[in-house]
Amino acid sequence: MALIEVKNLEKIYQDEDNQTPALCGVSFDIKEGEFVAIIGPSGSGKSTLLHILGFLDRHTKGEYLFEGKSSNDYSDVDLARIRNTKMGFVFQAFNLLPRTTVLDNVKLPLLYSDIPEKQWDSLARQAIDSVGLSHRVDFEPAQLSGGEKQRVAIARALVNNPKIIFADEPTGNLDSKSGKVVMEILQRLNDEKHHTIILITHETYTAENAERIIALHDGLIKSDEKVINRLNADGFTK
């Protein structure tokens, strides 16, 4: 069974008397453990699609099934629980609390979980260690580089051990060296920890770190192909 099934999905934004289609009937499946890049230019619908897949927005028409169940059959409470326990999110802008330590930023998702508080520090430190930032655990975001901030965001996404990680332009605000480190971490999480990764990017060379690329254009799927010569984080074929 696919982890994600999308069938003729449409998203239309309504503004007074105007309708703007963002997705125009897209269909695909994503299996558990896949690393999929969704690529396209600005306005292609890729971020809209991520928001729908991550239960951050609702679709207009079509069907979205997560773990075999239609998203329409989940209550708002169910959706919030799934976002917190089964999904992790990494955004281009990092979205870290500015006057809060790395440790406390990473612990944030645990505040809304059923995990006992006495385990929070241990789980957060494990996630921080997994992205190589144990030496920054007491630092605040202003004391970190852009690459380090994104690694903290990845640790925060990992702390609940989610099934799936959504990464929306995770290298967009980074220099090439820091971007390589971030992509290396995402590849390792997929290869070794078997997290499903959905990467949103406009960069072809970043998308080629994935196993499969879904290309969007004007709200439609232009292509959906396996990556034959998959790149590692250093830009070499794996």
Side-chain angles (χ1 to χ4, degrees):
M1 181 180 70
L3 178 63
I4 282 174
E5 298 173 73
V6 170
K7 301 177 181 180
N8 298 314
L9 201 71
E10 296 184 23
K11 177 63 177 181
I12 301 171
Y13 291 104
Q14 183 78 40
D15 181 15
E16 295 182 354
D17 296 328
N18 298 317
Q19 290 189 339
T20 303
L23 295 172
C24 304
V26 299
S27 300
F28 59 87
D29 295 347
I30 295 177
K31 296 178 181 178
E32 191 166 348
E34 277 197 276
F35 188 159
V36 179
I38 299 174
I39 189 169
S42 178
S44 62
K46 57 187 187 298
S47 289
T48 296
L49 180 57
L50 178 143
H51 289 161
I52 292 171
L53 297 181
F55 293 147
L56 300 172
D57 197 3
R58 295 275 193 175
H59 57 282
T60 306
K61 296 181 181 179
E63 191 171 21
Y64 168 32
L65 288 84
F66 182 78
E67 295 185 321
K69 183 176 178 179
S70 173
S71 60
N72 292 329
D73 293 335
Y74 289 111
S75 68
D76 288 343
V77 172
D78 290 335
L79 296 180
R81 177 183 54 78
I82 292 170
R83 281 196 304 270
N84 182 251
T85 61
K86 297 188 177 184
M87 297 177 174
F89 297 88
V90 180
F91 296 103
Q92 180 176 349
F94 316 132
N95 295 343
L96 302 178
L97 295 182
R99 295 180 181 85
T100 306
T101 65
V102 166
L103 180 65
D104 286 338
N105 264 289
V106 172
K107 287 196 307 189
L108 280 174
L110 299 173
L111 298 175
Y112 309 98
S113 74
D114 295 327
I115 297 172
E117 187 174 354
K118 63 183 180 181
Q119 298 179 24
W120 291 0
D121 270 24
S122 175
L123 291 172
R125 289 178 184 277
Q126 289 175 34
I128 293 165
D129 182 62
S130 74
V131 298
L133 286 179
S134 293
H135 60 301
R136 295 284 193 261
V137 70
D138 295 319
F139 282 42
E140 294 182 359
Q143 299 172 288
L144 305 176
S145 69
E148 288 173 333
K149 291 177 185 176
Q150 195 59 290
R151 287 154 67 187
V152 173
I154 293 173
R156 182 183 58 195
L158 285 174
V159 74
N160 273 334
N161 193 30
K163 276 193 172 184
I164 184 167
I165 296 173
F166 295 99
D168 191 359
E169 300 280 8
T171 62
N173 282 338
L174 306 180
D175 59 50
S176 59
K177 183 178 180 180
S178 298
K180 288 177 182 178
V181 172
V182 166
M183 292 311 304
E184 183 180 51
I185 291 170
L186 291 176
Q187 285 191 337
R188 177 164 49 81
L189 292 173
N190 177 248
D191 291 340
E192 298 178 10
K193 304 298 184 180
H194 309 297
H195 291 282
T196 304
I197 309 287
I198 297 182
L199 168 71
I200 302 294
T201 182
H202 65 278
E203 302 166 337
T204 301
Y205 63 87
T206 300
E208 288 173 347
N209 289 273
E211 300 170 319
R212 173 183 168 200
I213 298 175
I214 298 174
L216 292 182
H217 186 74
D218 291 339
L220 294 166
I221 292 180
K222 184 179 178 181
S223 62
D224 182 351
E225 299 175 343
K226 292 284 187 180
V227 178
I228 304 301
N229 296 313
R230 185 185 179 197
L231 299 181
N232 63 21
D234 292 321
F236 298 105
T237 303
K238 295 186 75 171

